[in-house]
Amino acid sequence: MSETITALTGTGETDANVQHMSMQLALNRALDEILADNPKSVIFGEDCGRLGGVFRITDGLQSKHGEDRVFDTPLAESGILGMSVGLAMAGFHPIPEVQFDGFAYPAINQIVCQIARMNYRSRGTLPMPITLRVPSFGGIRAPEHHGESLEALFAHVPGLKVVSPATPHDAYHLLKYAATRPDPVIFMEPKSRYWQKGPVNLASADMDTAAHDAGTDSGGNLTGARVVREGRHLTLVAWGAMVARCLQVAELAAEDGIDVEVLDLRWLKPIDAEALATSVGKTRRAVVVHEAPLTSGLGAEVAQLITQSCFATLKAPVERVTGFDVPYPSGDLEDEYIPNIDRILFGIQRVLEYRRG
Amino acid sequence: MSETITALTGTGETDANVQHMSMQLALNRALDEILADNPKSVIFGEDCGRLGGVFRITDGLQSKHGEDRVFDTPLAESGILGMSVGLAMAGFHPIPEVQFDGFAYPAINQIVCQIARMNYRSRGTLPMPITLRVPSFGGIRAPEHHGESLEALFAHVPGLKVVSPATPHDAYHLLKYAATRPDPVIFMEPKSRYWQKGPVNLASADMDTAAHDAGTDSGGNLTGARVVREGRHLTLVAWGAMVARCLQVAELAAEDGIDVEVLDLRWLKPIDAEALATSVGKTRRAVVVHEAPLTSGLGAEVAQLITQSCFATLKAPVERVTGFDVPYPSGDLEDEYIPNIDRILFGIQRVLEYRRG
Amino acid sequence: MTTEPVLAAVDDDAAPLTHHQLRELYTLMAAVRHLDTAAVAWQRQGIIPGYAPELGQEAAQVGSGYAVDRSRDFVFPTYREMGVARAMGLDMVGYMSTHKATWHGGMYNPLESRFAPIQAVVAGSVLHAVGWAHGQTLSGAPEMGVAMTYFGDGASSQGDVHEAMNFAAVMKAPVVFFIQNNGWAISVPTERQVAGGSVAARAAGYGIPSLQVDGNDVVAVFEATRSAFAHCRAGNGPVVIEAMTYRRGPHSTADDPGRYRTLDEERLGAGEDPLERFRQRLLADGVADEAFFMEAQRLAEEEEEAVRAGIEVLGPRPGAEMFSLVFQEPTPTLQSQATAWREESEHV
Amino acid sequence: MTTEPVLAAVDDDAAPLTHHQLRELYTLMAAVRHLDTAAVAWQRQGIIPGYAPELGQEAAQVGSGYAVDRSRDFVFPTYREMGVARAMGLDMVGYMSTHKATWHGGMYNPLESRFAPIQAVVAGSVLHAVGWAHGQTLSGAPEMGVAMTYFGDGASSQGDVHEAMNFAAVMKAPVVFFIQNNGWAISVPTERQVAGGSVAARAAGYGIPSLQVDGNDVVAVFEATRSAFAHCRAGNGPVVIEAMTYRRGPHSTADDPGRYRTLDEERLGAGEDPLERFRQRLLADGVADEAFFMEAQRLAEEEEEAVRAGIEVLGPRPGAEMFSLVFQEPTPTLQSQATAWREESEHV
Ligand SMILES: Cc1ncc(C[n+]2csc(CCOP(=O)(O)OP(=O)(O)O)c2C)c(N)n1
Ligand SMILES: Cc1ncc(C[n+]2csc(CCOP(=O)(O)OP(=O)(O)O)c2C)c(N)n1
Ligand SMILES: [Mg+2]
Ligand SMILES: [Mg+2]
């Protein structure tokens, strides 16, 4: 399915490890390798066995690794997550899936009160190496509850770590990274980007970080944010599907002579505060972009972290361009809801035009 | 139980409407009147009928108003909230209780996906006049999950309104106000303040707002924040049980010549952005205090709103003094976790000593 | 332990269906079958982005929906109850608009149609039915309204269903739990979903009477529903009905059943087509003739054309509704967001 | 519909209890009774801030806990299983420390003691037991370990219990659902909580065999638990046990039962004291004499003194543990918060 391309590394050499593939395939491949590497890893959820998941992320894994390793559960999210706790206590590394973001809500009690706290409650004797995959965010014109952004909720919960990849390459490496951690990680997959292709460097580590776009950056720095585009005038901070949109915006802004830096936050908890400080310390202006509603969204945290570290040099208050404080709307209105190019450009303009007093 | 005191109004007259009572009694009295005023209002939850609630907030209401109006449900929070939706659709005004903050999690699916969205989903034909009472926050040395602060989660949910009273007087009036609204309101009761007494003016409206502490402010401005103490040098923003603590801090700071303004936010959604702008516009410095963990807490939203409106005049970045990013600890450690006077004073000091560059 | 609870024999007005009613049932089923099949085609033609067909469940849906008294009862659907909606006389353009991605809950008026907004959370509205039903008890009217909540075999696994059955039984709420056991929850067959094999069998544990009925027999479904309603109306508490049927089509237009079941399995599981079966019965009983069936088909086609025309002209809702329909009492935050949206997106 | 599922008769090693074992059971019950009563006194004396007594549930707890094989089984308690903990030989200072507000989950090591951390969410750990039990199946050892999850009549109303029973039955997980039906969930009596009147009766709906047992008869409880374990161990899937008992004391030291039940109701509901009942039986059967009972009492008192001494010297945990025990791999945010806390609170 994937096609090997002859990509050029920074040094101009051909790298056979670099393959061009969709995020869907990159995730599938990562899971395949996780199952092969760790006999204690198990994948389960609704329809992720025989069907291979409604997004086919687990396609083929059951037939390859067996029904003990990849299985369908009854239709109950609290059951899926509660069961994960017990499996983790028994020494397994559960990789449960909830089918869509909005269906994580029935499992919130198990996530917040159990998964996130068992290590603490047990004084470190019962770690919870659970990687919860959540197809997340909007943009696919789906029914109600299929386009939610829960990162602010997850990031607020002590005991959870939260990550979201924006590219196939990151999807592959971050998932493999998350699934080998001893702590619970919520893995938010930008579902609108599943089918977009990009280079993935399958080699495991120590690659040139700057060459990420050619797929040649892998294990180098998986724990922090990533500068996707360098710029001097303003930093756009985003994650998930909004990263690609911010890159488009940056290209458009460049036509007007505005040099935008784009930072892919990747880790939504813990947040890479240093990367924020470094980038905005340089550009002195920032706009945070996310799909979730504005109020009490993660954009507030990001903005406050930036303000805290860059207050003295900041040229304007950090702007937020986000979803509105309304329920995620039906397909016909979703383009009105999700930050679009125009709205992000307006946000940039507000920051650039800001004058004190 | 309550004792009528002869309080003095601003104009020096005795006001028989002012009574000294605990927040517990003020809430109980408000519920009693709500039941009497609106035959469609119903109170239910775990142990709130015969027992009168574990905090006795519904004490005596079942025997006075009957088992149809005040009743015990089976032990299931999703059931309680899901049932509220149906009752609202049938024209009732449900006033459910979850016994403790941490036990709202099993009901989050019904709260987020149903209560908060039914008005929207039904295009305004099925309003959800539900007032959910949640004994909230910590400070009573209780078992696990009995000291949680869920305001950031609730405030992020489109379709909910969220309020928390800090005094008996506000408890009485805000609850009566919430329970007559056509929209869902999460009513967060600061459980550590249930037994503290204070003046309550039972008269319904148009009283002098400035005289709140004498209990003579009532319906005047129930929809916004409240300046609890005026000051010139710095604004402390808080809600719930932290308001009283901030007042203590202000007294201590005053001894060092620091004149602190204390703003009780009251409404956590929608937030009174104007009150924040006015106060910090004047003091030019702010510290937000809350019990919830720092990351993605409501303090970030408050800080960002302040920065947005006061950027040009702000002397220092807004500080946050909050709970840590750890699970709410057991009683022995709770004083280490909840912002204490020292930590708030350190926060004030950081703001006052801030120097650019 | 407990003895099997039985349905109170209160359905004194349970007269056999008249020929007119039987024909009406057929006409409804034919209309539903045609509209359902057409909706799948609309999706292929790009008229609507998606649809969840109820092919094979016409008898279960029309039979139960036909028993509803719109003057006092209330129905809580999932996302697949097009047949119930049609049987209850909903505005079908308003109903179908949800599949056009116009508005999540649909554009019909739920209060007037006695049909709650379309529900995408599996088992999401089962508890609502219990609350609504308890509201009827509290209101104290004799011969009270009944809530009927629809859900699937997959949904039966959700904790909310358990809470709902227990609440309803403890409170003796007039609610009919109507399960369409169509054999599948997307790719998961009932035997890997419903331990014990039957949702109806769960009812006894709550002391709730239950009926397992041939969900492909529209008359049997109607009669079971009618007697359940009578039981509830008389104040005897809830009833569970499990209609055994089969999801003949894909889960939704995005689904590919070939990945998890063979055509042979499908043929075997599906059994006889409920529409064809009813047709044969009406013919055999002399209730209807070929001319009637042709007329029913003609009406169905006419209706489908009208609904399609309505759907095709349905434009997107004004973006301002995103803001104005969140609350009954708008907030300043939302008002200022609406203003900003208008300026930036509509350039007003 | 479904036929009542029966327990597989696999308990071949189900020999009657020896006199030694019977005396051991008594000794345990006496120790538990004394420690429980003492803990209430500790609360009144200000030694601990709160406690949830299990007075009256000694037979249910000791009888079931005694059946656990600590080399392979795992127990998932609520907040009221002191008797189970004691029967399983836990470090009781570690156990009691949760009531001193030292650490939420208790200070014992759950892995070594095969007793999960104390659980304050009602029904919170029922699903954990299912997951742990499924882990045993996946590990594929013969004569596998069994998970036993404790919960109450009130907890049975939670959706998670339904999901757990269904999951366990679908996956044939070796888990024993042990319900202590003690008549009350704080102020709510079973008849307003458990529709149908019995939690065990729910099991049939999942095809799970169940046993309703006299929870005040320690031998009956033990034997029921032993046969349930044998059933599970042999790969036959889950079992539900409902031990009918009575909460003789308040819900917790903060509760005032006088507000919702009369002393007469209490006397009637409680029936005969399980400890006294067992004593009479041992006497009648010649298994033990007064000297033995006096010795048991002396041991119980000695033990209580030791536990109290341990609890009294238990200081608060270092605040740094708040930060260091959240994750296995600490985060920079948490590290800097820990530093700030040290500077501001410990003035280091
Ligand atoms: C809480 C929740 N979890 C998951 C989903 C995704 N989902 C939609 S329909 C469906 C299967 C439902 O099966 P069933 O209840 O049998 O109804 P049917 O589709 O067969 O009519 C799933 C898993 C959802 N909508 N809601
Ligand atoms: C999810 C949840 N809701 C509410 C509570 C508060 N609460 C603690 S114990 C209890 C009653 C439990 O009754 P039952 O399950 O019968 O156990 P018992 O206390 O009788 O042992 C309640 C309501 C809780 N701990 N967890
Ligand atoms: Mg189904
Ligand atoms: Mg109980």
Side-chain angles (χ1 to χ4, degrees), chain A residues 258-327:
Chain A
I258 306 163
D259 192 14
V260 171
E261 176 146 315
V262 178
L263 191 74
D264 174 2
L265 203 56
R266 302 205 300 190
W267 287 90
L268 310 177
K269 173 94 172 259
I271 293 175
D272 188 347
E274 224 175 277
L276 291 171
T278 306
S279 177
V280 186
K282 176 181 71 175
T283 61
R284 304 171 81 172
R285 296 176 185 88
V287 176
V288 200
V289 180
H290 62 64
E291 300 184 32
L294 177 82
T295 296
S296 204
L298 198 65
E301 180 67 40
V302 171
Q304 172 62 7
L305 287 174
I306 292 170
T307 308
Q308 198 77 35
S309 58
C310 303
F311 186 75
T313 55
L314 214 48
K315 292 276 193 195
V318 180
E319 271 290 325
R320 294 181 283 172
V321 179
T322 71
F324 301 108
D325 285 353
V326 309

Side-chain angles (χ1 to χ4, degrees), chain B residues 46-48 50-52 54 56 59-60 67 71-78 99 102-103 106 141-146 294-295 323-333 336-337 340 342-344 346-347 350, chain D residues 49 98 100-105 118-122 154-155 157-159 185-188 192-193 254-256 259-261 265 314-319 321-323 326 333-334 337 340-341 343-347:
Chain B
E46 295 156 12
D47 306 292
C48 65
R50 191 138 182 206
L51 179 63
V54 295
R56 310 289 185 264
D59 190 25
E67 296 200 17
F71 55 93
D72 292 325
T73 65
L75 207 176
E77 290 77 11
S78 190
Q99 200 161 77
F103 309 133
R141 232 174 134 72
E144 200 176 359
H145 317 290
H146 293 65
L294 177 82
T295 296
F324 300 108
D325 285 352
V326 309
Y328 193 91
S330 192
D332 271 1
L333 289 175
E336 304 292 327
Y337 172 88
N340 55 30
D342 272 6
R343 286 181 52 214
I344 301 171
F346 274 115
R350 276 196 300 280
Chain D
T98 196
K100 180 128 197 243
T102 309
W103 199 261
H104 282 317
I118 286 159
Q119 177 65 250
V121 179
V122 159
S157 298
Q158 288 282 351
I186 308 187
S187 73
V188 179
R192 293 193 55 83
Q193 181 78 248
D255 183 36
D256 172 11
R259 294 178 68 96
Y260 53 82
R261 67 187 193 194
E265 283 166 350
L314 205 66
R317 301 303 308 167
E321 285 187 356
M322 278 199 298
F323 306 95
V326 180
T333 320
L334 223 38
Q337 289 185 16
W341 167 81
E343 286 168 10
E344 295 181 6
S345 298
E346 300 213 312
H347 306 287

Side-chain angles (χ1 to χ4, degrees), chain D residues 86-97:
Chain D
R86 179 61 188 82
M88 285 176 63
L90 252 73
D91 158 26
M92 293 310 285
V93 174
Y95 179 89
M96 281 293 185
S97 67

Side-chain angles (χ1 to χ4, degrees), chain B residues 338-352:
Chain B
I338 300 180
N340 55 30
I341 289 177
D342 272 6
R343 286 181 52 214
I344 301 171
L345 284 170
F346 274 115
I348 290 177
Q349 195 183 331
R350 276 196 300 280
V351 170
L352 290 171

Side-chain angles (χ1 to χ4, degrees), chain A residues 46 75 77 99 103, chain C residues 79-80 120 122 152-155 182 184-185 251:
Chain A
E46 295 156 13
L75 207 177
E77 290 76 12
Q99 200 160 79
F103 309 132
Chain C
Y79 44 85
R80 205 191 289 289
V122 159
D153 44 297
N182 64 2
W184 296 89
H251 170 72

Side-chain angles (χ1 to χ4, degrees), chain D residues 52-123:
Chain D
E54 51 82 75
L55 188 73
Q57 302 178 216
E58 294 87 355
Q61 299 202 357
V62 169
S64 54
Y66 195 68
V68 175
D69 178 349
R70 279 186 57 184
S71 73
R72 51 183 168 179
D73 302 329
F74 211 101
V75 161
F76 297 79
T78 73
Y79 44 84
R80 203 192 290 289
E81 268 72 64
M82 190 272 276
V84 183
R86 179 61 188 82
M88 285 176 63
L90 252 73
D91 158 26
M92 293 310 285
V93 174
Y95 179 89
M96 281 293 185
S97 67
T98 196
H99 299 296
K100 180 128 197 243
T102 309
W103 199 261
H104 282 317
M107 296 286 295
Y108 54 92
N109 181 318
L111 273 180
E112 283 166 15
S113 55
R114 314 294 285 180
F115 192 87
I118 286 159
Q119 177 65 250
V121 179
V122 159

Side-chain angles (χ1 to χ4, degrees), chain B residues 27-54 56-74 80 83 87 92-97 133, chain C residues 134 138 171, chain D residues 187-188 192 259:
Chain B
L27 291 166
N28 181 261
R29 180 133 185 185
L31 290 173
D32 186 15
E33 293 172 15
I34 290 160
L35 287 170
D37 291 349
N38 179 2
K40 286 295 190 181
S41 58
V42 278
I43 292 174
F44 50 93
E46 295 156 12
D47 306 292
C48 65
R50 191 138 182 206
L51 179 63
V54 295
R56 310 289 185 264
I57 307 300
T58 53
D59 190 25
L61 299 181
Q62 185 180 67
S63 56
K64 181 163 172 191
H65 297 276
E67 296 200 17
D68 274 4
R69 307 290 306 284
V70 183
F71 55 93
D72 292 325
T73 65
I80 293 167
M83 180 178 167
L87 278 166
F92 288 84
H93 191 126
I95 310 177
E97 171 184 295
R133 293 183 39 250
Chain C
H134 188 58
L138 293 181
M171 301 187 303
Chain D
S187 73
V188 179
R192 293 193 55 83
R259 294 178 68 96

